[in-house]
Every structure is written in structure tokens, then in C-alpha cells.
Amino acid sequence: MVELKKIISHCKEYGFIFPSSEIYDGLAATYDYGPFGVELKNNIKQSWWRSMVRENENIVGIDSAIFMHPSIWKASGHIDAFNDPLIDNKESKKRYRADVLIEDELEKYQQKINKEILKAKKRFGTAFNLSTFQTTHPRVVKYSNKITSISKRLSDSLEQDSLDELKNIIEELEIRCPVSGTTNWTDVRKFNLMFETKVGALANESSKLFLRPETAQGIFVNFLNVQKSARKKIPFGVAQIGKAFRNEIVARQFIFRMKEFEQMEMQFFVRPGEEIKWYNFWKESRMDWHKSLNLNFGNYRFHDHQNLAHYANAACDIEFEFPIGFKELEGIHSRTNYDLSQHQNFSKKRLSYFDPDQKESYIPYVVETSVGLDRLFLSILCGSFVEETVNNEQRIVLKIPPKLAPVSVAVLPLLKKEELTDKARDIFTNLKSTFSCHFEEKDSIGKRYRRQDAIGTPFCITVDHDTITDNQVTLRDRNTMQQERIPIIKLNKIIKERLDI
Ligand code: GAP
């Protein structure tokens, strides 16, 4: 699997992602998307929007404001309960999330188990039986028991808000600070993740606003506006793509965890009692969507939550195998009628829905799907990054799903000669209204192919001397590197078919 540092430097070199404010030495956990990054990001957004909104008759979209009435965050529970447990190392003065330190330590035990399994597989060959090995090998059993018992204590302490217990676990596991290497820790403290800002000329309590930490609340408070104006009957959904802000103290791992990021969320409003049916529907449907991207090593799994948040009656994550291990990519939550009830109580406005089929009013239940756009972007980059040797030559190629690629077609005159560049320009002009196209005449053709591979361009069209007389070009496929002669007149149709658009 590709290392994260390779992805980071590739993103910088090829204009996908730059560290924000770089000439001022950067700003922690904040990144800017470059020319190819923004194209890929827009394509991912469009693909999600199409599959959610355009392809589902009963889902509509909105775009709500980032600033919202401060009472919303009291009602949603974010002011009181949107906290991270933090711990400082006294030597390095570095601050960490206590639960993340513990999870990372448990991952080390998991890696030890994986190593033992690999060793045994090699030793026993076809006679190897995984489940017997896992239940009898003393070291594997010891590590597994440790993972199970610590995971349980961790989730209990998070649920019960027991900061002392988190500290106990860190001490018991003798977790060391990755920077100082010592176990000299402070106590665990709570830290609210919302960013505050002020509006108006007077800086007092009443002028305090928060930058939204999730887009979902913009959907909840607009529930009746959308239902009435779009004339929707339950079950129906509301989707939104937008920025969210969290004061992540432990923001590392590139765009995996940022302070400013984008979410793509959908709240599906259902009849009370039908929420688990719909939860299971969305759980499978979202997993299918991720798998349809067909990434190279795209490994996904569900992580069902054992301890549920107070507002949820079922929840899971879709995890992706990032270079830093299996991590949450998307959350699917059955949020009961908690949010709408809270907003009804706090706003004193009725948020119930009259069901014409059942002839009764109720506050709908909600199933939420919530994916981080930036995390999805990272999963696509990691899953499509390939280093391979072809004809004794090393190449890096991004095997991005063709319909998401930042550039669909590169048009390349074989040489920088007027008759070739003119012909290539004509082709470029004809294709650019349909596809995202790139024209490049600088450098040798080999170098230009490599560059297009590195940004993930699925097709290159090369215009050579024969093109002038036979009106055919060479179409090169990014993945197979195969080249075929194609009449110019057929290019549009062939590329459309192969891009699957
Ligand atoms: N409305 C539900 C909600 O916000 P969440 O699990 O806190 O749930 C949903 O966030 C998704 O947003 C996550 O699965 C992740 O993909 C993304 N996300 C959350 N915090 C993030 C951060 N600091 N940086 C990047 N993406 C983040």
C-alpha cells in the first residue's frame, strides 16, 4: 500500500493539494486545492449529487448558510457535548486526543496479530486454518483479548464521560508520546470543537456565533420549508454539500482530519418505526456506491457502533483502508426524532408532519448519511495511486475512475510543428465543450504521457504526420497503455462510451 507521504508529495508536485498559506510557513491542518485537485473534487461532488439527488425522485437538495442562530447549537447538543478528550505530554508540550492515542495503540496490537497470521500462513501453507489459529495461538489470543477489553473500556469511558478512566488506560498501556517518547502525561481535559466568531459592532455574549461543525442542522431547521415547497411526502430526503469547521487539535494525517472541510450529507425523513428498515437500506446503498468506484486497493468495511450516542438507535461507519489503517470514511446514523424534537422545543415552532396516508401527525424519524468530501478525495487518490514498471520504465499512474478524472482527454501534437499543432488545436476545440480537455505541446511525447498518467488522464490523443492525410489519431489508454488508430470523426462517441458518461 502506498505511504501517505508519497501521496502528499504527489499532490503538491502535480497541483492537487497545497499546504495553505505556504509562503508564510503554512497553517496547521488547512489545505488548498490546486488546479487538478479542484477538478477532481468538483467531479466527486457532482457524482455524489447525481446519485443522491438526480437519481432519487424523493431526495432534493439545499444549500444552507454557514452562520446559523446560536440557539441551534444549544438545541442540537453541540454546545454541551461536542467535545474531545485531550491530553498533553509534559515533555514535548504536544497535545493529543486521548481516545486516538488509545486507538492507535490498539492498532499496533492488531498489526502484531496480522504479522503472526502471515508468518503462520507461510509456514503451514494449505494446511493453515485461520479460525483455529486465532483461537489457539497464545500470543494472538493474548493480543485479541487485550484489544477486546481495552476497546470496551474505551467506549464505556467515552460514553460515561470518564476522563480519569481514559488516563488510566493510557497509563496502563504505557503509551508513549510519539515526539518525546515519554509517558509523562497531564490529566485528560475536555475541549469544545466549535469555532466561535462575533457579529456586529459590540462584542458581547449575544453577538457570539459559531461556524457550523456539521451541515446537517441546516437541513433539520429547514425541514418544513423544504417539505412544503418541494411538495414532498414522507419518506423523503434532503441533501447538502458544504463546508464544516471543527477546531481539531489533533489535526494530522493530511486532509484526513482538517479544521475546515466539506461534508456531503443527506437526511432521510421517515415514519416512526420504519427507521431501522431505512437505516439498513442506506447502509447497503452507500457501501455499494463506494464499491462502484472500483478503486485499485479500495478495501471497505462496516464498523457497527456498539455504544450509541444518546440520540441514535443504530449507527455505523463505512471504513476505508487508508495508508494509516482502516478509518472512518462515512457515517450512517439512525438519529430517531431527536434533532427535530429538540428544535421544536427550543424554537417553540411546530415541526410535526401530517401524514395524509396515515391521517396522523408526528415528528419524523431521520436516517442520516454523512461523508467527508475531503476524506473521499483522499480515499480515491490512495486507491488509485499505482507505481509500476512497464517496458523497464518506472511510472506513477493515478487510476482514478475515468468519469472522475480531473482531465478526461489530453490532446498532444507529436511534435511542435505548425501543421500538427493546428490540427491538434482543432480536435481540442471540438472536444472541449463535451469533455474536460487539456492541450500540451511541450516536451517529448513520452514525458507528456507520463505527466498525464501522473494526473490520472484516462485518454491521450496524439496527432502525428499521418493524421494530416488520413484524419486518424492515436488514442492511448491510461491503464493498459495500449494505442489504437481512431478516425477523428469517431473520437467523441468512443470517448463518451469509455468514460461511461
Ligand atoms: N452530521 C453527522 C456528522 O457530522 P461525523 O462522523 O462527525 O458526523 C461525518 O462526520 C463525516 O465527516 C466523517 O465520516 C468524515 O468523513 C468527515 N469528517 C469529520 N470530521 C472531519 C475533519 N476534521 N476533517 C475531514 N473530514 C471530517
Side-chain angles (χ1 to χ4, degrees), residues 376-388:
L376 187 52
F377 183 108
L378 183 60
S379 74
I380 290 171
L381 274 189
C382 297
S384 39
F385 186 97
V386 178
E387 276 179 297
E388 57 187 18

Side-chain angles (χ1 to χ4, degrees), residues 99-115:
D99 55 330
V100 173
L101 275 182
I102 297 169
E103 276 170 4
D104 286 353
E105 194 67 14
L106 293 183
E107 184 60 32
K108 286 185 197 157
Y109 284 105
Q110 187 56 50
Q111 278 165 12
K112 284 183 187 169
I113 295 177
N114 295 349
K115 256 193 200 155

Side-chain angles (χ1 to χ4, degrees), residues 273-304:
E274 293 192 354
E275 70 277 10
I276 296 301
K277 177 183 90 182
W278 284 110
Y279 166 77
N280 287 325
F281 170 84
W282 283 111
K283 192 175 160 182
E284 294 308 322
S285 163
R286 293 304 302 146
M287 181 61 106
D288 289 347
W289 186 83
H290 286 287
K291 288 192 170 164
S292 73
L293 296 175
N294 278 327
L295 297 180
N296 191 36
F297 77 86
N299 243 333
Y300 300 90
R301 69 182 187 194
F302 284 119
H303 167 69
D304 291 308

Side-chain angles (χ1 to χ4, degrees), residues 213-214 216 246 248 255-259 261 263 265 328-331 333 335 368 370-372 374-375:
E214 62 171 11
R246 295 184 188 177
E248 303 275 9
I255 57 169
F256 181 82
R257 195 181 304 285
M258 295 195 287
K259 298 191 180 192
F261 57 101
Q263 287 187 316
E265 298 201 293
E328 175 184 346
L329 175 62
E330 168 154 5
H333 314 121
R335 293 179 74 131
E368 165 184 75
S370 174
V371 60
D374 312 86
R375 255 182 222 186

Side-chain angles (χ1 to χ4, degrees), residues 42-61:
N42 284 341
N43 292 346
I44 299 172
K45 278 193 216 181
Q46 271 171 23
S47 171
W48 182 88
W49 192 263
R50 204 178 307 120
S51 78
M52 276 294 178
V53 180
R54 297 272 164 86
E55 288 173 13
N56 285 299
E57 254 180 76
N58 59 353
I59 299 184
V60 290

